[in-house]
Amino acid sequence: MIPRYTRPEMAAIWEPQTRFKIWFEIEAHAADALAELGTIPKDAAKAIWAKARDVTFDVARIDEIERETKHDVIAFLTHLAEIVGPEARFVHQGMTSSDVLDTCLNVQLTRCADLLIADVDRLLAALKTRAFEHKMTPTIGRSHGIHAEPVTFGLKLAYAYAEFTRARERLVTARKEVATCAISGAVGTFAQIDPRVEEHVAKAMGLTPEPISTQVIPRDRHAMFFATLGVIASSMERLATEVRHMQRTEVLEVEEFFSEGQKGSSAMPHKRNPVLTENITGLARMVRAYVTPAMENVVLWHERDISHSSAERMFGPDATVTLDFALNRMAGVIEKLLIYPANMQKNLDRLGGLVHSQRLLIALTQKGASREDAYKLVQRNAMPVWRGEGDFQTLLKADADVKKHLSDAEIEEQFDLGYHFKHVDTIFARVFGAS
């Protein structure tokens, strides 16, 4: 995790103190269940909670023990025994390290998912507000980066809103899929621990029991979780790229907010660069990069190995922290985005009406021209305009072959900008609901 791209709420989930607190809670809840089953004394379970519930674990001490034991869970349990005393002999009975590690990881990922869902909600709110603000603001739609036909800027934002609505749904599903608990012991057979312990811990930690674990929780669950983060990152980069293109000097239809005292270049004082969306683009690449190791972690030897562990220690915090930061930055960009309708109209008019060429094509076919002939008639009048040689409507009215099918009034009718927006309300109702 790089502090520059880290928000404290998400970082806190991955701090050692948080991790050890979760480990303790897993062990203490398991002790409660074991006590209820008569496997350990009830007084021992109570003592474990009483002596360690509010303790701040000594991370340096745990690290010191691990340097000797070369085992992180044993180091923690040794330190816990130093705090709890004789009753610590009843901790971790019938359990294996992965019971603690995997259950803890899934607790952390569900907490991360909750923050990420809130992040998406903020972005959705910003997109909806700005979409309705510019619902009928005309701008040019582009395909291949080239002027195509008119759209509205509100529709551009509605596209993004619909995409991030799907992102939210996927996050909710990914959270549910990864929210499982395994307290099944070595190789997952429950030979040394009753399945009811797992059920108790799962309920206490807000998880569900893993139906079958081999000694680790199956990593296809985690692969899907991080794949979901990767897709969200791609959606975010798509929106960021749209802003970047629209901010280019030759376009300048929107612009990132430029604050008082902000500097755009160390060399050129005039510069106002799309640094936030460029930053988001880079961060999105990193989130996607972590999808591959998450996929590769699905493949483990037999009932378990720990080839997944080192990778997860890196990409678990990094992917969630990075996406959290980027989503919040994206929401801020949209909330403060400077929007220039006059420039949108200027660009829309730049090709002298060529954006209405399809309407002319259809009108000619409806008046009896073949599609092939109609296409040739429209294109031969469009190409001079493309080269800056005349006005599209004027050329059409002067073309005798066009006039065989369309009157001047009928030609003019095809240049109605509002015609393109007659179904905007329908699209908005589909995206945002009837309200």
Side-chain angles (χ1 to χ4, degrees):
M1 295 183 288
I2 299 174
R4 183 181 183 91
Y5 305 129
T6 301
R7 298 196 329 135
E9 298 90 343
M10 185 65 83
I13 293 173
W14 298 103
E15 289 174 354
Q17 193 64 227
T18 303
R19 181 172 73 254
F20 295 138
K21 178 69 173 176
I22 296 171
W23 287 9
F24 165 72
E25 289 175 359
I26 293 167
E27 296 282 8
H29 286 306
D32 283 342
L34 289 168
E36 287 298 317
L37 293 170
T39 304
I40 69 172
K42 289 186 177 181
D43 287 346
K46 292 178 180 178
I48 293 165
W49 278 108
K51 294 181 179 180
R53 183 194 297 271
D54 299 319
V55 165
T56 298
F57 295 102
D58 188 337
V59 177
R61 173 60 179 151
I62 295 172
D63 290 343
E64 177 189 4
I65 299 168
E66 185 178 356
R67 280 192 291 271
E68 178 183 348
T69 63
K70 306 297 190 293
H71 196 292
D72 53 353
V73 175
I74 290 175
F76 169 76
L77 293 173
T78 301
H79 177 54
L80 183 62
E82 294 172 344
I83 296 168
V84 171
E87 293 89 352
R89 69 186 187 277
F90 297 112
V91 172
H92 204 69
Q93 290 210 353
M95 296 170 61
T96 189
S97 298
S98 291
D99 291 337
V100 178
L101 295 170
D102 284 10
T103 300
C104 174
L105 175 60
N106 286 3
V107 170
Q108 289 172 301
L109 291 179
T110 56
R111 292 178 183 179
C112 290
D114 289 339
L115 289 181
L116 292 172
I117 290 167
D119 295 341
V120 174
D121 284 341
R122 180 187 170 194
L123 178 54
L124 286 170
L127 288 166
K128 182 175 182 178
T129 296
R130 303 312 299 272
F132 275 93
E133 180 184 343
H134 291 280
K135 180 179 180 180
M136 300 304 292
T137 300
T139 190
I140 185 63
R142 299 172 174 90
S143 57
H144 306 276
I146 308 301
H147 283 207
E149 291 195 348
V151 297
T152 74
F153 188 63
L155 284 175
K156 284 180 174 283
L157 296 175
Y159 304 153
Y161 183 92
E163 188 165 349
F164 281 98
T165 298
R166 296 190 294 274
R168 190 188 194 282
E169 292 168 354
R170 294 184 186 114
L171 259 180
V172 170
T173 300
R175 183 198 188 283
K176 180 179 179 181
E177 185 168 356
V178 83
T180 64
C181 164
I183 308 291
S184 54
V187 302
T189 60
F190 296 101
Q192 312 299 335
I193 195 165
D194 194 295
R196 287 174 289 182
V197 176
E198 180 183 76
E199 293 170 3
H200 178 86
V201 174
K203 184 177 181 180
M205 303 301 292
L207 306 173
T208 58
E210 181 64 44
I212 178 170
S213 53
T214 58
Q215 187 165 324
V216 293
I217 292 175
R219 257 43 191 185
D220 62 291
R221 296 184 181 274
H222 304 80
M224 183 56 70
F225 185 91
F226 288 98
T228 298
L229 303 195
V231 173
I232 294 171
S234 294
S235 295
M236 195 162 45
E237 184 177 354
R238 176 175 182 251
L239 179 56
T241 301
E242 181 73 13
V243 172
R244 291 170 61 196
H245 278 308
M246 295 180 76
Q247 185 167 334
R248 287 181 297 122
T249 305
E250 296 82 1
V251 179
L252 201 56
E253 294 174 348
V254 304
E255 189 178 24
E256 291 179 10
F257 179 76
F258 197 81
S259 61
E260 187 71 28
Q262 184 174 343
K263 304 292 188 294
S265 166
S266 64
M268 298 166 283
H270 73 278
K271 294 297 290 305
R272 289 164 65 117
N273 303 325
V275 292
L276 299 179
T277 46
E278 288 175 341
N279 171 256
I280 290 166
T281 297
L283 296 178
R285 293 169 184 168
M286 294 309 300
V287 175
R288 285 196 302 271
Y290 292 123
V291 176
T292 296
M295 294 286 186
E296 292 174 343
N297 276 356
V298 174
V299 185
L300 301 178
W301 285 18
H302 305 300
E303 278 60 53
R304 81 169 292 222
D305 64 52
I306 61 165
S307 60
H308 62 291
S309 176
S310 54
E312 284 176 352
R313 289 173 192 263
M314 296 178 70
F315 71 67
D318 282 358
T320 52
V321 165
T322 303
L323 186 61
D324 170 62
F325 180 89
L327 280 168
N328 275 275
R329 173 154 284 184
M330 189 79 253
V333 167
I334 299 301
E335 288 165 354
K336 295 183 177 181
L337 190 67
L338 303 176
I339 299 168
Y340 303 124
N343 282 351
M344 291 180 181
Q345 187 66 52
K346 178 181 176 181
N347 290 333
L348 188 56
D349 297 336
R350 185 173 179 178
L351 292 184
L354 290 187
V355 295
H356 302 290
S357 69
Q358 184 178 190
R359 288 208 67 198
L360 271 299
L361 170 66
I362 293 171
L364 285 166
T365 60
Q366 290 176 339
K367 288 301 185 81
S370 71
R371 180 174 177 83
E372 292 74 19
D373 288 343
Y375 197 105
K376 290 177 182 178
L377 288 174
V378 176
Q379 189 179 47
R380 81 183 185 193
N381 287 283
M383 290 304 100
V385 181
W386 191 271
R387 296 190 295 267
E389 303 168 359
D391 173 75
F392 190 39
Q393 189 175 144
T394 301
L395 290 173
L396 288 165
K397 289 179 178 179
D399 189 315
D401 292 326
V402 173
K403 292 302 293 292
K404 290 177 183 178
H405 301 283
L406 298 173
S407 67
D408 285 355
E410 288 171 328
I411 291 172
E412 292 171 6
E413 183 184 347
Q414 311 314 313
F415 286 78
D416 174 22
L417 183 62
Y419 177 88
H420 294 273
F421 308 143
K422 61 183 180 293
H423 294 305
V424 170
D425 284 338
T426 299
I427 297 172
F428 264 60
R430 288 179 172 183
V431 174
F432 300 105
S435 60

